[in-house]
Amino acid sequence: VLIRGGGAKTDFLVFDSYRLARAVAKFPLPIITGIGHHKDVSIVDMMVHTNTKTPTKAAEFIISHNRNFEERLKDLQKIIIIKSQQLISSCHQEIHSFQIDLSTATRSLVSQHKDQLHYFRHITINQSKSLLFQHKSDLTTSFSQLLTIPILMTKTRLSDLQMISTSIKNATSNSFIRERERITNFTSLMKMMDPQNLLRKGFALVKQHNKIISGIEQADKDIPLTIMLKDGTIETLIKKINPNHGQETDL
C-alpha cells in the first residue's frame, strides 16, 4: 500500500517520476495507492493494481476486500458442507440400496445353491446305490466264476494229465518193445559171432602171446603158436618161412 496525506500539488510530483512508476509497475506483489489527491491522477496511480483517492479509501478497500474474501470463503464452506452432506447422504442411500440388493442376491443365491445341493445330494445317493448294486452284482458274478473256473480247469488238467500219462505209458511200452527187439537182435548176432560156433564150422584160432594173429607176418618163429580147435588146443613152432613168397613151408 502506497499512501500519503494531503499537501501542495508540487508535493505529488515525485509520484509522476519514471523510476518510481517503473518500480511500481514491475513490483511482484499488487500495490494499492492512497496518495490523498482528489483531483489529479499521477503516473504511479496508473501503474498500480488499484488506486484510491485517500489513505482512508485504501483502508476501506482492503477491509472490504478482506471481508468479501472471508464471506466468499464462508459461502464456499457452506457450499462444501452442503455438497458433502448431500454426497454423504447419497452415498449412504446407495450403500443402503447395495446392502439390500446384496442381501437379497445372497439369499437368492443361497436358496438356489441349496436347491442345487439338495438335487446333487439326491443324485449322488441314487448313483451311489446304483453303482454299489452294480459292483455287488459284478462281485457275485466274479465269485461264481472263481468257484466254477477252477473246477473246470482242474477237470481239464486232469484229463490232460490222463492223456499225457497214457501217452507216456504207450511210449514207454513201445520203447521197451523196441529195446527188447534190439537186445534180441544183438543176442542173435552175438551168438552168430561166438568163436565156438566158428570153431564148430571147422575154423581155428591162432594165438601168440595170448593175442590172436591173422597173418604169418605177425608171428614170431621162436615162440610157440597156440591153435584153438573145436575140441582142444595145439602148440607148435614155425620152423621155416619162405622169405620170397611169405608162405609156410615146414611146420
Side-chain angles (χ1 to χ4, degrees):
V1 180
L2 182 61
I3 59 175
R4 187 184 185 280
K9 187 175 181 178
T10 56
D11 295 336
F12 298 99
L13 293 177
V14 66
F15 298 105
D16 291 332
S17 66
Y18 168 75
R19 292 178 63 189
L20 181 58
R22 185 175 180 273
V24 170
K26 296 181 65 176
F27 200 73
L29 298 177
I31 295 177
I32 302 171
T33 59
I35 297 175
H37 197 290
H38 289 278
K39 295 180 179 181
D40 298 327
V41 178
S42 65
I43 296 175
V44 172
D45 287 329
M46 297 179 184
M47 297 293 107
V48 297
H49 179 272
T50 301
N51 65 85
T52 60
K53 297 301 181 182
T54 60
T56 303
K57 292 294 184 181
E60 290 177 355
F61 173 78
I62 293 173
I63 292 171
S64 177
H65 178 273
N66 291 344
R67 184 182 295 112
N68 292 332
F69 179 73
E70 184 177 0
E71 290 178 356
R72 284 177 60 198
L73 287 179
K74 289 181 179 180
D75 292 338
L76 290 174
Q77 182 182 12
K78 292 179 181 179
I79 292 173
I80 290 173
I81 292 173
I82 293 172
K83 291 293 184 181
S84 299
Q85 290 176 351
Q86 291 177 353
L87 183 61
I88 291 172
S89 177
S90 176
C91 290
H92 277 301
Q93 291 178 359
E94 290 181 359
I95 290 173
H96 184 68
S97 177
F98 285 147
Q99 183 179 4
I100 294 174
D101 293 341
L102 181 61
S103 178
T104 304
T106 303
R107 290 192 184 95
S108 177
L109 187 63
V110 169
S111 177
Q112 180 181 357
H113 282 290
K114 183 178 180 181
D115 295 338
Q116 290 181 354
L117 287 174
H118 182 71
Y119 174 72
F120 287 142
R121 178 175 175 270
H122 182 69
I123 290 178
T124 303
I125 292 174
N126 292 334
Q127 289 184 352
S128 299
K129 290 180 179 179
S130 176
L131 188 63
L132 288 174
F133 180 77
Q134 181 179 357
H135 281 293
K136 182 179 180 181
S137 177
D138 294 339
L139 286 174
T140 304
T141 303
S142 299
F143 182 72
S144 176
Q145 291 178 353
L146 286 174
L147 291 177
T148 306
I149 291 176
I151 296 174
L152 295 177
M153 290 180 64
T154 303
K155 290 182 179 180
T156 304
R157 294 294 183 269
L158 287 175
S159 178
D160 295 340
L161 288 174
Q162 187 68 30
M163 292 178 62
I164 291 172
S165 177
T166 303
S167 299
I168 291 173
K169 288 180 180 179
N170 293 333
T172 304
S173 177
N174 294 331
S175 178
F176 282 157
I177 292 173
R178 289 194 298 271
E179 293 300 325
R180 189 178 293 110
E181 290 177 354
R182 289 180 61 192
I183 292 172
T184 302
N185 293 332
F186 283 134
T187 303
S188 300
L189 183 61
M190 290 178 65
K191 287 180 179 180
M192 290 177 60
M193 296 180 65
D194 188 1
Q196 293 297 328
N197 292 329
L198 294 176
L199 293 177
R200 289 191 190 97
K201 293 180 181 180
F203 295 96
L205 295 177
V206 181
K207 293 184 177 180
Q208 195 174 51
H209 298 295
N210 291 326
K211 294 181 180 180
I212 297 174
I213 60 175
S214 59
I216 196 63
E217 68 275 1
Q218 297 178 357
D220 188 353
K221 65 179 181 177
D222 296 327
I223 297 175
L225 293 174
T226 299
I227 300 173
M228 294 181 62
L229 299 176
K230 177 182 70 172
D231 49 359
T233 60
I234 301 173
E235 290 188 0
T236 183
L237 289 176
I238 300 175
K239 296 181 178 181
K240 185 177 181 181
I241 295 175
N242 190 339
N244 294 325
H245 301 284
Q247 296 180 350
E248 181 179 340
T249 60
D250 188 9
L251 291 178

